Amino acid sequence: MDIKSALAVLCLFLFAANPVLASHHGDPKRGAELAQQCVSCHGVDGTNNTEGFPSLSNQKYKYLVKQLREMRNSAKIRTGEKNHDTDAAQAIMRSRRTNEIMDPFIVDLSNTDIEDLAAYYAAEPCRAVMSEAPLPPPRFEIRCQVCHGQFGIAANSNVPNIAGQDAGYLEQQLRSFQESRSQMDDGQERRRAPIMEGQVRHLSEQDIKDISLYYARLPCR
């Protein structure tokens, strides 16, 4: 089995082991109302123009639900509403996400609120404009294709699209995956995604910059 096939199997296994259990598919009209509080960071209609913040338009519904639930869980732990999960097996396998900036916006959201927000952003077309020409594929890019697709548009509904995403944001996330084993916040990892940790472990700073800029310049639609 070659490396690409092996990574594909691992990708399917890990995402299948962490399913999103949404009670319904969300109401995009209600989500549009809730999203008004998100405009300052994520832009109108989810298309962001501020470096370091992600665009959310045309992102995968299941992926958005999962990320928002994880950030809400982390926010509740920080506010003392919920105890930190110390189960060792789960800590190894389960993806986690935390973001202090998001805490006040997400800590009180219900599951329905999260699903409605996700439905709204997933339905919005990506409006990012490519102002510079695409770049040649960088070193290690073939590893990214397995889960994120050949041109940054993922086939798996649990995997995010990264084509046309903000380069600064992509850099932040890759560094966060590299640091996840050692960087702690109140006893909780800042970001955990086992499959990504393995893929970025040996990336250099230049690799991270090259990969981020490459995907940022790919068309998102």
Side-chain angles (χ1 to χ4, degrees), residues 196-216:
M196 285 299 299
E197 290 169 19
Q199 296 308 307
V200 305
R201 187 177 304 169
H202 302 297
L203 294 183
S204 67
E205 276 293 307
Q206 191 59 52
D207 291 332
I208 287 176
K209 290 181 180 294
D210 290 345
I211 290 171
S212 300
L213 193 58
Y214 168 72
Y215 281 108

Side-chain angles (χ1 to χ4, degrees), residues 76-102:
K76 287 184 179 296
I77 290 172
R78 266 192 293 275
T79 59
E81 293 182 44
K82 186 174 182 179
N83 293 327
H84 178 57
D85 182 7
T86 58
D87 183 277
Q90 187 179 47
I92 291 172
M93 291 302 298
R94 186 179 182 278
S95 298
R96 288 180 177 169
R97 187 160 192 177
T98 178
N99 187 321
E100 294 92 333
I101 295 174
M102 288 287 292

Side-chain angles (χ1 to χ4, degrees), residues 16-112:
N18 292 284
V20 173
L21 301 176
S23 59
H24 72 300
H25 295 297
D27 178 357
K29 290 184 178 179
R30 182 170 180 271
E33 298 175 3
L34 294 169
Q36 293 305 305
Q37 65 177 331
C38 312
V39 170
S40 59
C41 292
H42 296 288
V44 177
D45 301 324
T47 303
N48 175 56
N49 295 312
T50 304
E51 184 177 3
F53 289 90
S55 289
L56 303 178
S57 57
N58 200 37
Q59 191 52 272
K60 300 294 178 61
Y61 169 78
K62 287 187 178 181
Y63 172 77
L64 289 172
V65 170
K66 184 173 185 293
Q67 301 306 303
L68 291 171
R69 285 186 177 183
E70 288 176 4
M71 285 188 277
R72 181 186 61 184
N73 183 66
S74 298
K76 287 184 179 296
I77 290 172
R78 266 192 293 275
T79 59
E81 293 182 44
K82 186 174 182 179
N83 293 327
H84 178 57
D85 182 7
T86 58
D87 183 277
Q90 187 179 47
I92 291 172
M93 291 302 298
R94 186 179 182 278
S95 298
R96 288 180 177 169
R97 187 160 192 177
T98 178
N99 187 321
E100 294 92 333
I101 295 174
M102 288 287 292
D103 283 3
F105 301 101
I106 201 166
V107 68
D108 293 323
L109 293 184
S110 67
N111 286 341
T112 298

